[in-house]
Amino acid sequence: MDLIHVLFLALLQGVTELFPVSSLGHTVIIPGLLGWNETLQSPTFLPLLVTLHLGTSVALMTFFWRDWVQLLRGGMRTLVAGRFTPDVDPEGYGRQLALVVIGTIPAGIVGLLLQKPLEAAFSIPILASAFLVANGAVLLAGERLWRRQRLHEKEIAAKAPMFASVGRSLNEMTFVQAAIIGFAQCFALIPGFSRSGLTMVTGMANGLSHETAARFSFLLATPIILAAGVLEIPKLLAHQYRAELPIALGGGVVAGIAAYLSVRFLMKYFETNRLDPFAYYCVIAGTLTFAYFLLQFLGVIPA
Amino acid sequence: MKNPWVVGGVIAAVCIALAIFYAIPGIVHPLTFSGKPTDPAIKHVILFAVLAVVALVGARFAANSRPGAR
């Protein structure tokens, strides 16, 4: 594998995995634009893909390590007691862990059973471009819906303060809502749709703030991305990949650093900002690349 | 609502049956995409075993949250 390709793909994975712009879509579209499809289809690409996922998940765990310690402690307490009552789970961490588990199940099942056929069917650059536009439309629609809901709540609060919903936190989310967010995550198996984007929009549609929706989205991402990496470790250690291992590990470190900086930026960003810029990026980038691939397909520009 | 232990137990039993099915070599395993379809599918075994545990844990919480459970 070419070192420049590896570093570029590592940066691309580390950044786009967490930004709501579809990492899978970018790994289909950009190599298509640059003519790197051979790199992606090469058998030696597998160890790199594994280390990129591991690097990203380690970055997420490092950033949210306090959250995970609290969630696991709360989870152990509630597991022993067998209930989520305030006497055993006063801060609601055990319940939050249950929300993460429930939200992970749909993507875990669909990902394992259907990931490869879905990727094979949709990993075509022109399709990924079209889905990237659709992802942008979903982000915009989610943002508009969220703003309309908040406006409606403000009107209610002005008329009847006792009905105003204050500070939608994870503790107010129901298990059914967590399952719905988990189902939304399944659509991210289609290149072009963003996992973090879909889970954030679904979380916001269920009343979460941008920051809380982003936090839940990143907590949901950790077990899925980690499992995707860990379950492939035996392949990584296979004899035929030994020569590629050092460069793949280097790629994993680069992806991890990029992912850590990305999640740090995004958590700060979503304290005050919205999804709109990412939506506009997806619509513009998707439209331009769709036009490019269409012209290429029609033979107007050389392949 | 049905007894959570019955519902959780049925789901767990189905998941355990599927985990065993995917662990048996020599039979064709549907929805496996790496290696031969007759090889044991370890990832599927892990997934269904975890789901069985989650179903039982869920049943315990649901049973405890029923009125008059404590």
Side-chain angles (χ1 to χ4, degrees):
Chain A
M1 281 184 292
D2 190 303
L3 185 64
I4 299 296
H5 289 198
V6 170
L7 291 177
F8 183 84
L9 289 171
L11 275 174
L12 188 70
Q13 157 73 18
V15 173
T16 57
E17 182 70 50
L18 304 172
F19 277 67
V21 295
S22 178
S23 63
L24 200 54
H26 280 76
T27 51
V28 173
I29 293 169
I30 290 182
L33 285 174
L34 301 174
W36 289 2
N37 285 325
E38 280 178 16
T39 306
L40 294 189
Q41 283 153 10
S42 147
T44 54
F45 182 64
L46 179 72
L48 178 65
L49 195 65
V50 176
T51 55
L52 296 187
H53 279 128
L54 287 173
T56 309
S57 57
V58 167
L60 277 173
M61 281 195 294
T62 308
F63 187 84
F64 288 109
W65 73 270
R66 285 188 188 86
D67 296 64
W68 279 109
V69 168
Q70 286 170 331
L71 291 176
L72 292 171
R73 276 188 191 154
M76 285 306 294
R77 276 199 306 271
T78 52
L79 194 62
V80 170
R83 58 183 194 275
F84 295 115
T85 47
D87 56 323
V88 284
D89 190 25
E91 298 95 359
Y93 291 126
R95 193 170 175 283
Q96 287 179 23
L97 183 67
L99 292 171
V100 172
V101 170
I102 290 169
T104 303
I105 289 172
I109 296 173
V110 176
L112 189 63
L113 300 182
L114 296 175
Q115 183 179 14
K116 292 208 173 153
L118 280 176
E119 279 185 18
F122 293 110
S123 289
I124 302 163
I126 194 165
L127 275 183
S129 298
F131 286 129
L132 193 62
V133 176
N135 183 62
V138 169
L139 297 184
L140 274 179
E143 191 62 56
R144 297 282 180 278
L145 181 70
W146 188 84
R147 287 172 66 191
R148 197 185 295 174
Q149 279 178 350
R150 296 294 79 75
L151 206 65
H152 185 59
E153 278 182 7
K154 275 184 190 169
E155 284 170 8
I156 292 174
K159 289 176 191 165
M162 64 281 209
F163 293 120
S165 58
V166 276
R168 300 285 182 99
S169 68
L170 283 187
N171 286 335
E172 291 167 89
M173 192 197 284
T174 65
F175 293 127
V176 173
Q177 287 172 329
I180 291 169
I181 295 172
F183 276 111
Q185 192 172 212
C186 299
F187 287 94
L189 293 170
I190 299 171
F193 281 111
S194 158
R195 195 202 53 72
S196 59
L198 292 175
T199 49
M200 274 194 70
V201 164
T202 321
M204 285 159 56
N206 282 294
L208 298 180
S209 67
H210 287 79
E211 192 189 358
T212 312
R215 179 171 168 260
F216 189 62
S217 170
F218 295 142
L219 289 176
L220 269 187
T222 312
I224 286 286
I225 302 173
L226 185 66
V230 167
L231 290 172
E232 299 290 348
I233 283 179
K235 286 185 188 167
L236 186 69
L237 302 175
H239 184 69
Q240 70 262 35
Y241 298 132
R242 291 274 165 85
E244 304 291 338
L245 205 52
I247 196 167
L249 287 173
V253 171
V254 172
I257 293 168
Y260 184 87
L261 294 175
S262 298
V263 71
R264 199 171 148 176
F265 167 79
L266 286 172
M267 287 308 293
K268 194 79 190 153
Y269 175 85
F270 284 125
E271 282 177 13
T272 50
N273 292 292
R274 306 182 330 203
L275 284 166
D276 295 30
F278 306 110
Y280 293 131
Y281 164 78
C282 288
V283 171
I284 293 167
T287 306
L288 290 177
T289 52
F290 182 84
Y292 176 84
F293 291 126
L294 187 65
L295 291 174
Q296 206 176 47
F297 177 75
L298 295 173
V300 178
I301 51 175
Chain B
M1 191 185 165
K2 298 244 178 350
N3 185 337
W5 282 114
V6 175
V7 177
V10 168
I11 295 172
V14 171
C15 289
I16 289 167
L18 284 168
I20 293 169
F21 168 75
Y22 277 105
I24 299 171
I27 50 173
V28 175
H29 302 118
L31 297 170
T32 53
F33 303 100
S34 53
K36 285 189 236 164
T38 50
D39 286 345
I42 301 302
K43 285 185 209 169
H44 291 61
V45 173
I46 294 170
L47 173 75
F48 288 115
V50 169
L51 287 178
V53 173
V54 170
L56 291 176
V57 170
R60 182 163 180 243
F61 278 88
N64 282 348
S65 69
R66 296 180 106 194
R70 280 173 293 129

